[in-house]
Structures are given as structure tokens and as C-alpha cells.
Amino acid sequence: MEGPAGDSLCGKWRNGCGLYRDKLKDIFSWQLLKTIAMGQVLSLLICGTAGSCQYLADAGVETPMLQSFLNYVLLLLTYTLALCTHKGDASFMKVLRTKWWKYLVMGLADVEANYTVVKAYQFTTLTSIQLLDCFVIPVLMVLSWIFLKTRYRPVHFVAVMVCLVGVGAMVGADIISGRDQGSTSDVVLGDGLVLLSSVLYAVSNLCQEHTVKNLSRVEFLGMMGLFGTLISGVQLAALEINAVKAIKWDLYICMLFAVYALCMYTLYSFMPVVVKLTSATAVNLSLLTADLFSLFCGLLLFNYKFSVLYIISFVIIMMGFIMFNAIPTYSALHGAAAQEAADPRPDHASDRLLAADGDARRTETGEAFTFL
């Protein structure tokens, strides 16, 4: 298409996708490469938790709540104690007195998300879990749109679709390789548990993004350690006390629990750093490769069959992840604040004060969330 009409159409397309100001060398920046590397570190940590869970299951140990409890206890002993040394408005007692119910909701969502997804393995197949677990991404995008006022560009939706195509290729490879494991005792219940866990993970990740970008990483992890320990401890005593008593403790079992707890603790400690650098949605996209790292470990440890589709799916997921992070998201609050600030009329003075108050609470990426 030539002429002014063609130029206008191309300009609108570039503006909508966010490509009008970006060059190839700007897209593949050091910031993006660091984001990719840090995201894959998270995937490796999840691979470590999955491998240790597999070995525990092979040893006849199925205590998901005990495993989560150990992680929250480690967070309690480090970040909660560190939070106790803070003074002023960031002190432990001040935070606990003013925000206890908010962190209780966050802790409850996180604990139950971990529990329901593990519980789902008793009722449905690995394929269903891998596919339905991706539901966390659209839910998180919707929640970010509503509460964080994040505005996505067309390229972000395309990137998400590309990542989901990569997940589809990975699931196809699992079926071809005969890795469609799991139970089929109650598929509807199992699939429902996976969807529930996705919603709970989305809520937890949204709260995490707001907290680490507006408040502090230590506050989030400290309160998560406190309430996570309390909630998982009560649930452990109610549901798994007999299973824990039945464990035949030896050095091998203790090492597996230690590996799981350390990998999960490192994951929880490191994930807020990556979320603050990018967003919770971008982090969840990078975590789609965790199943692939688990497969590569399984090739060595569990004699899994290899398929070239695994490599293809990894490449596709990484392409989608790069597309998503190459173009920054837009916050609706920026545009509204700029418009109000530019309006010189006296009757908009109160609006400008509200905009200034919003600026004080805005995150590093221009996103805000009024829940906390």
C-alpha cells in the first residue's frame, strides 16, 4: 500500500504494537537478556522442587503441606525476623497492626494455591494440569488490568498466544513420548482444582507485584512467612498428621525434604526480585519452561523418552517471552495524571491533588494497586 493512506495505516499498526520507537538493537538489550536469564533460574528452581517431589513420591511420601510448611518456616526464620528489626512505619508491629488481614488473604491464597495444584495430581492427568495451569496468565492479566491499571498492547496478547502454542507443543511431545501420567479417578474434580489453583496463584502474584514495587521485598516475604507458617501449620495438623507419622525417616528422605525446602525457599526469595524488574505476568510466562527443565532432568534420572518437539516448544516459548518483554506495558494512570496536570482551570484543582496523590503511590513501572 502506497501513499498517505498506507503510511497512516502502517503508523497506526506500529503505534498499536509499540514498535514505532524500538529498534532491533534496543529490543535485545542487556536488561532483556538479564530478565531472560533470571526467569530461567526460577524455572530451574521449580525443576528442583519437581524432581525432589518425584523422588519423595517414589519413596511413598505424599505430604505436600509438610513440604510447604518447611518453606514458610524458613521464610519466617529469616525475613520475618529481619522485618522485626525495621523501625517506624515499616516496623513489624506497625505492619501487623494495620495490614494483618491483607497479608492473611495473601498467605491463604498462596498456601491453598500450592496445596490444590498438588492435590489435583490425585484426580487428573499431567496433560490436563499442564494445559489448565496456563490459565493463571489470562487471569493475572485481567486482574492487572483492573487493579494495577496495566494496559497491554496488541503485541503482548500475541506474545501470550505464542507462549501457549509452545505449551501445546510440549504437551503434544509428552503424549507422543508416553508421559501422560497421573490419575483419571475424577478428572472433573482434578481439572477444577487446577483452575482454582490458577486463580489463587494469580491473586498471590498480583499482591506480590504490588507489594515489592510499592513497599518492600522484606515486608512481603516476612509477612508471607508469618501467615504462611500459621495457615500451613494448622492445615498440616488437620490433614496430614497421620501421613507424617507414617514416614520412615532416614538420611535419604531427610535430604529430599531439604532439597525441596531449599529450592522453594530460594524460589520465593528470588522471585520478587524478578517481579520487580519486570511484572508478575512476564515471570509466569518465563516459568512455562519449567516443565522442559524437568524433562531434561528426567532424561537423566527417570529415563524419559526424548522428542524434538521439546526443543521446538522451548524455542517458541522463549520467542513469546522475548516479544512480551521487548515492548513495555502502559499504565492508564500516566495518561490521566498528565492530562489533569496540564489542565490550568481552577475547578480542576482537586483533581490535580488526587493525581498528585496517585503519583506518590505509583509503582516503578507506573502501576498502582489500592488493595494494600
Side-chain angles (χ1 to χ4, degrees), residues 52-130:
S52 56
C53 279
Q54 182 67 56
Y55 277 114
L56 284 171
D58 292 343
V61 178
E62 295 183 359
T63 54
M65 193 51 62
L66 173 61
Q67 294 164 221
S68 296
F69 177 74
L70 295 176
N71 168 53
Y72 292 121
V73 168
L74 290 176
L75 294 176
L76 176 71
L77 295 176
T78 51
Y79 294 102
T80 306
L81 292 180
L83 185 60
C84 291
T85 63
H86 291 188
K87 298 179 180 180
D89 291 337
S91 65
F92 173 76
M93 293 306 301
K94 177 72 172 180
V95 173
L96 187 62
R97 186 167 55 251
T98 59
K99 305 175 185 177
W100 67 269
W101 67 271
K102 301 171 184 177
Y103 284 111
L104 176 62
V105 173
M106 293 168 60
L108 185 64
D110 193 72
V111 171
E112 299 309 323
N114 290 327
Y115 180 77
T116 51
V117 72
V118 174
K119 196 70 176 178
Y121 281 90
Q122 300 179 14
F123 304 103
T124 191
T125 63
L126 175 64
T127 299
S128 295
I129 293 175
Q130 287 176 320

Side-chain angles (χ1 to χ4, degrees), residues 248-264:
K248 298 180 180 179
W249 295 97
D250 55 26
L251 181 60
Y252 175 70
I253 297 298
C254 291
M255 288 294 294
L256 290 178
F257 271 105
V259 170
Y260 177 89
L262 289 176
C263 286
M264 188 63 77

Side-chain angles (χ1 to χ4, degrees), residues 216-270:
S216 74
R217 168 175 168 267
V218 173
E219 179 175 323
F220 171 78
L221 292 174
M223 300 308 289
M224 186 65 71
L226 174 63
F227 287 102
T229 300
L230 294 175
I231 296 170
S232 62
V234 171
Q235 197 162 335
L236 171 64
L239 301 178
E240 293 184 358
I241 190 66
N242 292 328
V244 173
K245 291 180 179 179
I247 297 176
K248 298 180 180 179
W249 295 97
D250 55 26
L251 181 60
Y252 175 70
I253 297 298
C254 291
M255 288 294 294
L256 290 178
F257 271 105
V259 170
Y260 177 89
L262 289 176
C263 286
M264 188 63 77
Y265 172 77
T266 307
L267 174 67
Y268 270 67
S269 300
F270 190 50

